[in-house]
Amino acid sequence: TQLLEQSPQFLSIQEGENLTVYCNSSSVFSSLQWYRQEPGEGPVLLVTVVTGGEVKKLKRLTFQFGDARKDSSLHITAAQPGDTGLYLCAGVRASGTYKYIFGTGTRLKVLA
Amino acid sequence: DTAVSQTPKYLVTQMGNDKSIKCEQNLGHDTMYWYKQDSKKFLKIMFSYNNKELIINETVPNRFSPKSPDKAHLNLHINSLELGDSAVYFCASSQGQSGNTIYFGEGSWLTVV
């Protein structure tokens, strides 16, 4: 059973468009992170959110942690080709084994 | 300087062989991990070590055996390789186990033929 479902799985958009990626679970997380992975490389952390309802901005990227700490979203404004990559959310459960659980991933391609 | 380095980056081997992937981190972290990423890009934890002690051992065949000679190294040995073992294996490290940034290596691309 996959605990963190991301949607959409694939996304191909034109440069300048906006998009939102969702990360959903039935479990509560003490914190949630977003990573971006480019071809041939390992994932790199973009942001960590820890408080329910928290919103963080990183240039054109806006991250939100759900009030109940079960879900998160990543919104990209005016996407650029450099945003192309695999976006992964990762959560640490509030109870149980301390481990990061990675989402199913969203592959984004931004066309020039 | 590479924070988390793993070798080899590419490995093509025949079924039944035994192979090892080495990993080293120079970040001074106390926790290291091995992840497997399949063809669908799903990233799944295999093992986690904290201060050289195994703390997470997911449902992984016994053919996979991690070894941590010290806090900075976590190697992965795989016996009797099977076709289904083909994947990208990522080594990673963090300070502590919850909420801190995980730093990943570049991955080791294993192909079993």
Side-chain angles (χ1 to χ4, degrees):
Chain A
T1 303
Q2 181 51 244
L3 292 179
L4 270 173
E5 296 282 348
Q6 288 184 234
S7 61
Q9 189 176 356
F10 301 95
L11 190 55
S12 181
I13 61 172
Q14 293 291 329
E15 182 176 3
E17 292 184 3
N18 301 333
L19 66 115
T20 302
V21 177
Y22 299 93
C23 174
N24 294 301
S25 174
S26 57
S27 298
V28 176
F29 293 96
S30 58
S31 65
L32 195 137
Q33 300 176 329
W34 285 92
Y35 289 80
R36 181 169 71 203
Q37 182 180 8
E38 299 188 13
E41 299 181 7
V44 176
L45 180 71
L46 294 173
V47 77
T48 300
V49 285
V50 296
T51 306
E54 182 177 3
V55 176
K56 278 193 175 178
K57 290 191 175 183
L58 184 64
K59 296 184 180 177
R60 294 175 295 100
L61 278 60
T62 302
F63 304 86
Q64 185 164 8
F65 201 10
D67 291 340
R69 293 185 290 137
K70 292 183 179 181
D71 54 81
S72 180
S73 64
L74 158 60
H75 182 78
I76 301 179
T77 304
Q80 298 177 0
D83 296 327
T84 293
L86 175 70
Y87 289 81
L88 295 161
C89 62
V92 177
R93 288 200 290 181
S95 60
T97 307
Y98 284 142
K99 65 181 177 184
Y100 293 86
I101 301 169
F102 278 84
T104 47
T106 295
R107 284 195 244 189
L108 170 66
K109 186 168 186 178
V110 182
L111 305 170
Chain B
D1 286 342
T2 303
V4 181
S5 58
Q6 51 185 112
T7 57
K9 187 172 176 70
Y10 300 100
L11 183 56
V12 180
T13 188
Q14 290 188 327
M15 276 195 305
N17 284 350
D18 302 338
K19 291 294 178 185
S20 292
I21 307 172
K22 296 185 176 181
C23 179
E24 176 182 6
Q25 55 97 1
N26 62 7
L27 297 167
H29 289 163
D30 59 3
T31 305
M32 295 186 71
Y33 311 83
W34 276 109
Y35 283 87
K36 179 180 179 181
Q37 188 170 48
D38 59 24
S39 58
K40 294 184 178 180
K41 303 301 182 184
F42 177 45
L43 197 64
K44 185 175 180 182
I45 191 168
M46 299 173 68
F47 302 103
S48 175
Y49 272 73
N50 178 258
N51 287 316
K52 300 191 329 179
E53 288 191 21
L54 180 65
I55 55 171
I56 293 173
N57 183 352
E58 289 298 293
T59 306
V60 177
N62 291 337
R63 299 181 293 103
F64 291 79
S65 54
K67 283 198 171 72
S68 182
D70 55 59
K71 285 199 309 182
H73 296 84
L74 181 60
N75 303 322
L76 182 64
H77 187 75
I78 315 171
N79 289 327
S80 303
L81 278 156
E82 300 178 357
L83 292 177
D85 297 333
S86 296
V88 184
Y89 292 85
F90 284 99
C91 178
S93 74
S94 67
Q95 185 57 34
Q97 302 160 44
S98 58
N100 292 324
T101 304
I102 303 177
Y103 292 83
F104 286 85
E106 292 188 332
S108 294
W109 300 67
L110 173 64
T111 302
V112 183
V113 297

